[in-house]
Amino acid sequence: MSMLTPPGMGGQYRITGDKYPRMRRNRGRRRIVLAVAASVTALGLAGWGTLQLIDVFTGGGDKASAAGSAPGCKTSPSPSASPVKALPEPGQITVNVLNATARKGLAKDTADALKKRGFKIGKVGNATKAYDKKVDGPGVVLGAKAAADAALPVLATQLAGAELKTDTRAKPAEVDLILGKTYKALTTKEDADKALTTLARPEPAPSTKKDC
Protein backbone atom coordinates (compact mmCIF):
# COMPACT_ATOMS: atom_id res chain seq x y z
CA MET A 1 0.00 0.00 0.00
CA SER A 2 1.35 3.35 -0.94
CA MET A 3 2.33 5.88 1.71
CA LEU A 4 -0.21 8.23 0.18
CA THR A 5 -3.06 5.87 0.76
CA PRO A 6 -5.41 7.46 3.38
CA PRO A 7 -5.80 5.47 6.60
CA GLY A 8 -8.84 3.26 6.80
CA MET A 9 -9.13 2.87 3.05
CA GLY A 10 -7.92 -0.68 3.32
CA GLY A 11 -6.00 -0.27 0.20
CA GLN A 12 -9.06 0.34 -1.84
CA TYR A 13 -7.85 3.62 -3.16
CA ARG A 14 -4.43 4.41 -4.49
CA ILE A 15 -3.48 7.98 -5.05
CA THR A 16 -1.55 8.63 -8.16
CA GLY A 17 -0.77 11.91 -9.74
CA ASP A 18 -2.40 15.08 -8.36
CA LYS A 19 -5.96 13.79 -7.76
CA TYR A 20 -7.36 12.71 -4.37
CA PRO A 21 -10.55 10.79 -3.65
CA ARG A 22 -13.39 12.84 -2.04
CA MET A 23 -14.49 11.89 1.44
CA ARG A 24 -18.34 11.62 1.74
CA ARG A 25 -20.21 12.07 5.02
CA ASN A 26 -22.38 9.32 6.35
CA ARG A 27 -25.91 9.99 5.00
CA GLY A 28 -27.50 7.64 7.54
CA ARG A 29 -26.41 9.82 10.48
CA ARG A 30 -27.88 12.94 8.85
CA ARG A 31 -31.20 11.23 8.41
CA ILE A 32 -31.27 10.18 12.07
CA VAL A 33 -30.61 13.75 13.24
CA LEU A 34 -33.36 15.14 11.01
CA ALA A 35 -35.82 12.53 12.21
CA VAL A 36 -35.08 13.31 15.88
CA ALA A 37 -35.53 17.05 15.27
CA ALA A 38 -38.84 16.48 13.48
CA SER A 39 -40.07 14.28 16.33
CA VAL A 40 -39.20 16.90 18.95
CA THR A 41 -41.00 19.59 16.94
CA ALA A 42 -44.09 17.42 16.50
CA LEU A 43 -44.20 16.62 20.22
CA GLY A 44 -43.94 20.32 21.07
CA LEU A 45 -46.80 21.24 18.76
CA ALA A 46 -48.93 18.39 20.10
CA GLY A 47 -48.32 19.49 23.68
CA TRP A 48 -49.24 23.10 22.91
CA GLY A 49 -52.42 22.00 21.15
CA THR A 50 -53.37 19.83 24.14
CA LEU A 51 -52.98 22.80 26.49
CA GLN A 52 -55.23 24.91 24.26
CA LEU A 53 -57.92 22.22 24.28
CA ILE A 54 -57.71 21.96 28.09
CA ASP A 55 -58.22 25.73 28.38
CA VAL A 56 -61.24 25.58 26.08
CA PHE A 57 -63.00 22.76 27.95
CA THR A 58 -62.11 23.88 31.49
CA GLY A 59 -62.77 27.58 30.98
CA GLY A 60 -59.14 28.51 31.52
CA GLY A 61 -59.54 31.39 29.11
CA ASP A 62 -61.99 33.06 31.51
CA LYS A 63 -59.56 33.31 34.42
CA ALA A 64 -58.75 36.89 33.68
CA SER A 65 -62.43 37.81 33.56
CA ALA A 66 -63.21 35.93 36.75
CA ALA A 67 -60.37 37.71 38.54
CA GLY A 68 -61.62 41.04 37.30
CA SER A 69 -58.29 41.91 35.74
CA ALA A 70 -59.33 41.76 32.10
CA PRO A 71 -59.48 45.23 30.54
CA GLY A 72 -62.70 46.54 29.07
CA CYS A 73 -65.07 44.84 31.55
CA LYS A 74 -68.31 46.73 32.26
CA THR A 75 -70.21 46.56 35.53
CA SER A 76 -73.97 46.33 35.15
CA PRO A 77 -76.70 45.99 37.80
CA SER A 78 -78.69 42.85 38.08
CA PRO A 79 -81.73 42.33 40.18
CA SER A 80 -81.63 40.12 43.20
CA ALA A 81 -84.71 38.62 44.82
CA SER A 82 -86.08 40.42 47.88
CA PRO A 83 -87.91 38.51 50.63
CA VAL A 84 -91.63 39.11 51.09
CA LYS A 85 -92.41 41.08 54.25
CA ALA A 86 -94.74 39.47 56.78
CA LEU A 87 -97.33 42.23 57.21
CA PRO A 88 -100.61 42.05 59.14
CA GLU A 89 -103.82 41.74 57.18
CA PRO A 90 -106.34 44.63 57.36
CA GLY A 91 -108.65 42.41 59.41
CA GLN A 92 -105.94 42.13 62.09
CA ILE A 93 -105.72 45.92 62.55
CA THR A 94 -108.15 47.93 64.69
CA VAL A 95 -108.43 51.55 63.54
CA ASN A 96 -109.61 54.44 65.69
CA VAL A 97 -110.79 57.14 63.28
CA LEU A 98 -110.46 60.61 64.82
CA ASN A 99 -111.45 63.92 63.26
CA ALA A 100 -109.04 66.81 63.85
CA THR A 101 -110.95 69.19 61.56
CA ALA A 102 -114.06 71.36 61.95
CA ARG A 103 -115.98 69.29 59.38
CA LYS A 104 -118.71 67.17 60.91
CA GLY A 105 -119.30 63.53 60.02
CA LEU A 106 -115.83 63.14 58.51
CA ALA A 107 -114.66 60.44 60.92
CA LYS A 108 -117.81 58.32 60.48
CA ASP A 109 -117.67 58.38 56.67
CA THR A 110 -114.00 57.44 56.70
CA ALA A 111 -114.57 54.65 59.21
CA ASP A 112 -117.31 53.18 57.02
CA ALA A 113 -114.98 53.22 54.01
CA LEU A 114 -112.18 51.51 55.95
CA LYS A 115 -114.58 48.87 57.23
CA LYS A 116 -115.51 47.99 53.63
CA ARG A 117 -111.81 47.49 52.92
CA GLY A 118 -111.52 44.90 55.69
CA PHE A 119 -110.20 46.93 58.64
CA LYS A 120 -111.66 46.59 62.12
CA ILE A 121 -113.07 49.84 63.47
CA GLY A 122 -112.56 50.94 67.05
CA LYS A 123 -113.37 54.45 68.31
CA VAL A 124 -114.91 57.01 65.97
CA GLY A 125 -115.00 60.65 67.03
CA ASN A 126 -113.00 63.83 67.53
CA ALA A 127 -109.23 63.96 67.93
CA THR A 128 -107.63 64.60 71.31
CA LYS A 129 -106.52 68.08 72.34
CA ALA A 130 -102.94 67.30 71.31
CA TYR A 131 -104.02 66.96 67.64
CA ASP A 132 -107.37 68.77 67.32
CA LYS A 133 -107.08 71.51 64.66
CA LYS A 134 -103.30 70.94 64.65
CA VAL A 135 -102.86 68.52 61.75
CA ASP A 136 -102.02 70.54 58.66
CA GLY A 137 -101.67 67.64 56.23
CA PRO A 138 -104.18 64.98 55.16
CA GLY A 139 -103.74 62.97 58.32
CA VAL A 140 -101.59 61.21 60.90
CA VAL A 141 -101.27 57.47 61.46
CA LEU A 142 -100.39 56.95 65.11
CA GLY A 143 -99.50 53.71 66.87
CA ALA A 144 -97.07 51.78 69.05
CA LYS A 145 -93.35 51.63 68.27
CA ALA A 146 -93.75 47.91 67.62
CA ALA A 147 -96.18 48.78 64.81
CA ALA A 148 -93.71 51.01 62.94
CA ASP A 149 -92.95 48.29 60.38
CA ALA A 150 -96.31 46.54 60.51
CA ALA A 151 -99.74 48.04 61.19
CA LEU A 152 -98.73 51.68 60.68
CA PRO A 153 -97.45 51.40 57.08
CA VAL A 154 -100.33 49.06 56.18
CA LEU A 155 -102.90 51.65 57.28
CA ALA A 156 -100.87 54.44 55.66
CA THR A 157 -101.41 52.83 52.24
CA GLN A 158 -105.06 53.91 52.57
CA LEU A 159 -104.23 57.63 52.85
CA ALA A 160 -101.57 59.10 50.58
CA GLY A 161 -99.41 61.69 52.34
CA ALA A 162 -100.28 60.58 55.85
CA GLU A 163 -97.61 61.15 58.51
CA LEU A 164 -96.51 58.15 60.57
CA LYS A 165 -95.90 58.64 64.31
CA THR A 166 -95.43 56.37 67.30
CA ASP A 167 -96.38 56.66 70.96
CA THR A 168 -96.10 54.56 74.11
CA ARG A 169 -99.22 52.44 73.71
CA ALA A 170 -98.84 48.70 74.30
CA LYS A 171 -101.13 47.33 71.58
CA PRO A 172 -99.32 47.21 68.20
CA ALA A 173 -102.47 46.11 66.36
CA GLU A 174 -104.49 49.17 67.43
CA VAL A 175 -103.73 52.39 65.55
CA ASP A 176 -105.25 55.84 65.20
CA LEU A 177 -106.09 57.56 61.94
CA ILE A 178 -106.28 61.29 62.69
CA LEU A 179 -107.82 63.25 59.83
CA GLY A 180 -106.15 66.59 59.06
CA LYS A 181 -107.04 69.90 57.44
CA THR A 182 -106.28 68.88 53.83
CA TYR A 183 -108.02 65.50 54.05
CA LYS A 184 -110.57 64.94 51.28
CA ALA A 185 -110.93 61.19 50.91
CA LEU A 186 -109.08 57.93 51.26
CA THR A 187 -106.79 56.77 48.49
CA THR A 188 -108.74 54.83 45.86
CA LYS A 189 -108.93 51.14 46.64
CA GLU A 190 -107.04 50.28 43.46
CA ASP A 191 -104.12 52.56 44.35
CA ALA A 192 -104.20 51.43 47.97
CA ASP A 193 -104.00 47.78 46.91
CA LYS A 194 -101.02 48.56 44.66
CA ALA A 195 -99.28 50.39 47.49
CA LEU A 196 -99.92 47.45 49.81
CA THR A 197 -98.46 45.01 47.27
CA THR A 198 -95.36 47.18 46.87
CA LEU A 199 -95.02 47.34 50.64
CA ALA A 200 -95.13 43.55 50.92
CA ARG A 201 -92.83 43.01 47.94
CA PRO A 202 -90.26 45.82 47.83
CA GLU A 203 -88.18 46.50 44.73
CA PRO A 204 -85.31 43.99 44.36
CA ALA A 205 -81.99 45.27 45.60
CA PRO A 206 -79.56 45.80 42.73
CA SER A 207 -76.36 43.81 42.57
CA THR A 208 -73.47 44.16 40.18
CA LYS A 209 -71.96 41.81 37.66
CA LYS A 210 -69.18 42.25 35.15
CA ASP A 211 -69.81 41.86 31.43
CA CYS A 212 -66.58 41.08 29.62
Side-chain angles (χ1 to χ4, degrees):
M1 180 170 56
S2 168
M3 295 295 295
L4 297 178
T5 301
M9 292 297 181
Q12 296 181 9
Y13 298 93
R14 186 177 299 276
I15 300 174
T16 58
D18 56 355
K19 296 182 179 180
Y20 294 87
R22 296 182 178 179
M23 304 294 292
R24 296 183 178 179
R25 296 181 180 179
N26 193 331
R27 294 183 179 178
R29 182 178 297 175
R30 182 186 300 175
R31 291 176 181 174
I32 292 174
V33 172
L34 292 176
V36 171
S39 299
V40 171
T41 302
L43 288 174
L45 291 174
W48 180 82
T50 302
L51 290 176
Q52 295 300 311
L53 288 175
I54 291 174
D55 283 344
V56 169
F57 287 105
T58 61
D62 296 334
K63 289 181 180 179
S65 298
S69 59
C73 293
K74 296 181 179 179
T75 302
S76 58
S78 60
S80 59
S82 297
V84 178
K85 285 186 177 181
L87 297 173
E89 297 291 333
Q92 298 173 316
I93 302 173
T94 299
V95 184
N96 300 318
V97 185
L98 307 175
N99 186 5
T101 74
R103 289 175 284 171
K104 296 181 179 181
L106 200 60
K108 184 180 182 306
D109 293 342
T110 303
D112 291 342
L114 287 173
K115 186 175 181 179
K116 291 179 180 178
R117 298 185 183 187
F119 290 90
K120 290 183 178 180
I121 303 301
K123 297 177 182 179
V124 179
N126 295 326
T128 61
K129 186 177 180 180
Y131 289 96
D132 190 26
K133 312 298 189 299
K134 298 177 182 178
V135 179
D136 295 329
V140 174
V141 177
L142 180 66
K145 291 182 179 180
D149 294 325
L152 291 184
V154 170
L155 180 57
T157 61
Q158 307 301 311
L159 179 58
E163 181 181 3
L164 275 66
K165 289 186 176 183
T166 60
D167 57 15
T168 58
R169 73 183 66 189
K171 297 179 180 179
E174 181 179 330
V175 296
D176 297 343
L177 177 59
I178 305 172
L179 307 178
K181 296 178 182 179
T182 62
Y183 174 80
K184 294 181 180 179
L186 294 175
T187 304
T188 63
K189 188 176 185 308
E190 182 181 359
D191 290 341
D193 290 343
K194 289 180 180 179
L196 190 58
T197 300
T198 301
L199 185 64
R201 297 178 180 270
E203 292 294 327
S207 60
T208 57
K209 66 178 181 178
K210 292 185 177 180
D211 299 327
C212 300

